[in-house]
Amino acid sequence: MSELYIVGTPIGNLGDITYRALETFRSVDVVAAEDTRHTMELLTHFEIRKPMISCRAQNEKFASEKIIALLDEGKTVAYASDAGEPGISDPGAVLAGEARKAGHKVIPIPGPSAFATLVSVAGAGGKTLIFEGFLSPKPGRRRSRLRELMDSGAAVVVYESPFRVVKLLADIAEIDAGRRIVVGRELTKLHEEINDGTAAEILEDYSSRSKVLGEFAIFISSNKNVKLLNEDSDN
């Protein structure tokens, strides 16, 4: 039995790397990565050199078999996605599951995630929080699922690309223009931006921009939280 380490890496600021993550990368025999070029830059920055193997969404099942074979040989492996926690809207879940089925230890090395980073500053998580990741790019499916989530009574966090974020914000505003949302753009990076307001206000802001860049995490408050906020403002 060998060890597979699932390593959380910075979502932007390299200073967020943990000491334990660096020690893990230094100690293992092989580093598996969603994007070997991206992870190589991270390792090079910290003067770490290791053999690498690609394990991305497009080849995750095949790559997992190769990594399991390495574990079977007694080698230790650390897996890192491009940024954040593997397995959370990133490859890594299949690999972790297959390694455990094969009898190997799967050890988490926790680190940053856009989900936790945004929730920590949103200020209105409530008792129930749903992490949905990326919604469907198909408008009908996206709006249908979004309506279900917003009617659930829970706060919700979704991810979105710069290419579809305005469309997503328009869908949220159409369902409930007064719903409070918090948008995190380029979290922990040089141009980090956190916007807080109603869905209508945030949509107006981003719709007026000539260009929208960066990766987005969006916190949608629960409809119960909205009622509580409105009651507080009336007192």
Side-chain angles (χ1 to χ4, degrees), residues 2 21-22 26 35 49 54 68 110 116-118 120 127 130 142 175 183 192 196 201-203 212 214-215 222-223 235:
S2 191
L22 293 177
R26 291 189 179 107
D35 186 330
R49 294 186 179 182
S54 172
I68 299 302
T117 300
L118 182 63
S120 72
K127 292 184 177 180
I130 297 173
R142 181 178 65 242
I175 295 169
V183 177
E192 176 183 86
D196 184 337
E201 291 168 343
I202 299 297
L203 172 61
V212 178
E215 298 299 322
S222 73
N223 46 17
N235 293 333

Side-chain angles (χ1 to χ4, degrees), residues 109-176:
I109 308 297
S113 75
F115 164 71
T117 300
L118 182 63
V119 172
S120 72
V121 296
K127 292 184 177 180
T128 306
L129 179 62
I130 297 173
F131 173 64
E132 185 71 7
F134 286 93
L135 292 163
S136 172
K138 297 183 178 180
R141 290 185 182 179
R142 181 178 65 242
R143 284 192 289 269
S144 176
R145 179 57 179 158
L146 193 56
R147 189 176 295 277
E148 289 178 357
L149 292 167
M150 292 177 65
D151 287 344
S152 70
V156 179
V157 173
V158 297
Y159 289 166
E160 193 51 275
S161 74
F163 310 107
R164 291 193 299 268
V165 70
V166 173
K167 293 178 181 178
L168 174 61
L169 293 173
D171 291 339
I172 297 171
E174 180 181 338
I175 295 169
D176 186 351

Side-chain angles (χ1 to χ4, degrees), residues 38-136:
H38 184 92
T39 302
M40 179 67 76
E41 291 179 4
L42 173 67
L43 297 181
T44 300
H45 180 81
F46 291 103
E47 300 181 343
I48 300 172
R49 294 186 179 182
K50 291 289 177 178
M52 301 192 72
I53 184 171
S54 172
C55 181
R56 58 190 189 279
Q58 294 82 356
N59 75 340
E60 191 171 9
K61 181 67 176 177
F62 174 72
S64 293
E65 294 174 357
K66 294 173 64 176
I67 294 168
I68 299 302
L70 291 171
L71 295 171
D72 289 341
E73 294 173 7
K75 296 186 182 298
T76 54
V77 179
Y79 177 77
S81 58
D82 280 0
E85 293 282 0
I88 302 181
S89 284
D90 286 305
V94 170
L95 173 59
E98 292 298 319
R100 188 172 286 107
K101 286 180 185 177
H104 299 291
K105 291 184 67 175
V106 181
I107 303 170
I109 308 297
S113 75
F115 164 71
T117 300
L118 182 63
V119 172
S120 72
V121 296
K127 292 184 177 180
T128 306
L129 179 62
I130 297 173
F131 173 64
E132 185 71 7
F134 286 93
L135 292 163
S136 172

Side-chain angles (χ1 to χ4, degrees), residues 180-191:
R180 175 178 176 263
I181 65 175
V182 182
V183 177
R185 184 180 72 86
E186 293 289 89
L187 290 172
T188 79
K189 300 177 184 178
L190 179 62
H191 300 293

